[in-house]
Amino acid sequence: MSFAGGDRDEFATSLAVLALYDGGAEITSDQISTLLTATNNHVQPYWPTLFASNLGSNVGEIIFNRGGGVAPVASAAGSAPAAAGGDSKSDKKEDAPKKVEEVVDALEGGMDMFGGGGGGGGDY
């Protein structure tokens, strides 16, 4: 695998951060620079500082949170009137019966992919 320029620097720095995290060491720009120098990797001086400031305190959280994220805003806004105890439109909507959609099998009757009636017995 070969890298050029900034890609190589970024890759080497990210591996240094992972090595420090795995070893239980504090992730600082000095530690990253020391590890890169010890492994004979020379990167632009801003990479260790960039990685340490953005990843230093929460590397484990980034690694182990799969697809985290924030709750949708609509759900938070929808629960606010209910928490206040007032009558709102969302309370009235919850009392209404929910419509059940009928599930139709795509292979059952109807048109086939060639626009025919799908009754079988075609030319194909």
Side-chain angles (χ1 to χ4, degrees), residues 77-97:
S79 64
D87 292 330
S88 67
K89 293 180 182 179
S90 64
D91 291 339
K92 294 176 185 175
K93 287 181 183 178
E94 289 177 14
D95 294 338

Side-chain angles (χ1 to χ4, degrees), residues 18 21 51 54-68:
L18 290 174
Y21 172 76
F51 273 75
N54 290 320
L55 301 176
S57 62
N58 57 355
V59 173
E61 190 176 311
I62 292 170
I63 292 172
F64 294 113
N65 278 344
R66 296 177 22 195

Side-chain angles (χ1 to χ4, degrees), residues 16-88:
V17 168
L18 290 174
L20 289 170
Y21 172 76
D22 192 43
E26 184 179 0
I27 299 172
T28 63
S29 59
D30 292 334
Q31 291 281 14
I32 295 169
S33 296
T34 302
L35 182 58
L36 288 170
T37 303
T39 58
N40 207 20
N41 286 292
H42 304 286
V43 299
Q44 294 294 323
Y46 62 87
W47 283 112
T49 305
L50 181 71
F51 273 75
S53 64
N54 290 320
L55 301 176
S57 62
N58 57 355
V59 173
E61 190 176 311
I62 292 170
I63 292 172
F64 294 113
N65 278 344
R66 296 177 22 195
V70 182
V73 176
S75 66
S79 64
D87 292 330
S88 67

